[in-house]
Amino acid sequence: MYPDRECVNHHGTRVASRIAYGYVPDGKESEIITPLCRLIDCNVFHEGLRETEMISVVEEIVLRYHSVCKVYNLCINFPGNEGRVSNLSEKIDQLQSEFDVLFVISTGNYMEYIHSQTIEDVLKDDALRLRSPAQSVNALSVGAAAPVKRNGCISNVDQVVPYSLHGPGISGTVKPELLAYSANVDYFEGNGIYIFNSKTIALDDGKPINVAGTSFSAPIVSSYLARVWTVL
């Protein structure tokens, strides 16, 4: 893990907000909201982070916390391993088996706006396959679903959104296993504009903020799993 000064803090803080408070629809963020689960803050992301570094970082974290933490949320994705199991994915599978823990991993995003006629066109595009370490066989990979729809959206409510990378996984495995809400995309007049239906409770200049991406759908699932694990 890395010192605070070396880390990019805003992304992790916003992800943690989704774990702690879940999906908070617009209009609810001003109400009294109770945290849903406890978190352990691990500084793992810095500018220039390489996938090879993440292998040792992930191992260090699980070795340190596996006795008190069973659900590990990981919203970092690395390109270049589409179609094969990365070394990081293999390490995560090994750690899950050895220490009886579960990783929840974002599929990754394609943030260049896709000018497809239908969401089916997007799902047929092999260039948009999920990224490492979401190929991990035993981890739960999570994509993003649409919470709302406008006329310019190609994704209906509860359907996968166009920027959410998709499967199948290695050897035809079902990936992602789950979707959770993030933002939809409105292609009105050819310009992709995010449309939101929730905010993170993490503050930016004292105000809740809108966020988009699979990094903010995966932690919703982590929040549910953490609560389920406490009663197993």
Side-chain angles (χ1 to χ4, degrees):
M1 290 182 284
Y2 303 97
D4 285 347
R5 66 179 181 277
E6 295 181 11
C7 292
V8 180
N9 292 310
H10 63 271
H11 180 267
T13 300
R14 294 168 187 174
V15 169
S17 170
R18 285 284 215 219
I19 299 173
Y21 299 105
Y23 181 80
V24 181
D26 276 348
K28 296 291 186 180
E29 68 273 6
S30 61
E31 300 179 5
I32 296 175
I33 300 173
T34 304
L36 301 169
C37 55
R38 300 173 67 184
L39 295 87
I40 298 174
D41 176 23
C42 299
N43 290 324
V44 301
F45 183 68
H46 64 86
E47 294 292 347
L49 177 68
R50 299 188 304 273
E51 187 169 7
T52 51
E53 290 180 76
M54 265 314 283
I55 295 172
S56 58
V57 170
V58 164
E59 184 171 34
E60 176 189 349
I61 289 169
V62 174
L63 287 173
R64 181 179 298 186
Y65 295 115
H66 68 90
S67 63
V68 293
C69 180
K70 292 300 182 181
V71 178
Y72 293 78
N73 185 89
L74 186 56
C75 290
I76 300 173
N77 299 97
F78 298 91
N81 290 291
E82 296 83 354
R84 66 181 182 87
V85 179
S86 68
N87 291 335
L88 177 57
S89 298
E90 289 182 341
K91 173 56 70 174
I92 287 172
D93 278 332
Q94 174 198 330
L95 292 169
Q96 290 178 122
S97 176
E98 184 174 351
F99 294 102
D100 191 28
V101 298
L102 178 63
F103 275 75
V104 179
I105 305 173
S106 57
T107 59
N109 311 301
Y110 183 80
M111 290 311 210
E112 298 296 328
Y113 297 116
I114 306 165
H115 299 287
S116 300
Q117 295 300 312
T118 67
I119 193 64
E120 287 74 20
D121 293 334
V122 176
L123 296 175
K124 291 176 184 176
D125 191 342
D126 283 341
L128 305 181
R129 296 280 291 275
L130 73 177
R131 293 176 177 169
S132 173
Q135 311 109 323
S136 168
V137 174
N138 296 321
L140 276 179
S141 60
V142 182
V148 290
K149 175 181 169 59
R150 292 180 183 167
N151 288 338
C153 298
I154 63 174
S155 296
N156 293 318
V157 174
D158 294 336
Q159 192 173 34
V160 64
V161 294
Y163 59 78
S164 180
L165 298 183
H166 58 77
I170 305 304
S171 300
T173 54
V174 175
K175 292 286 178 178
E177 289 89 349
L178 295 170
L179 301 177
Y181 286 152
S182 187
N184 204 346
V185 183
D186 189 340
Y187 292 101
F188 178 68
E189 295 183 349
N191 296 314
I193 301 171
Y194 289 118
I195 57 173
F196 305 93
N197 195 44
S198 74
K199 293 180 174 66
T200 65
I201 304 304
L203 301 182
D204 189 0
D205 294 330
K207 299 178 181 179
I209 54 173
N210 291 314
V211 289
T214 58
S215 286
F216 305 102
S217 55
I220 296 171
V221 173
S222 294
S223 181
Y224 278 113
L225 287 174
R227 285 172 277 162
V228 169
W229 208 296
T230 61
V231 297
L232 291 179

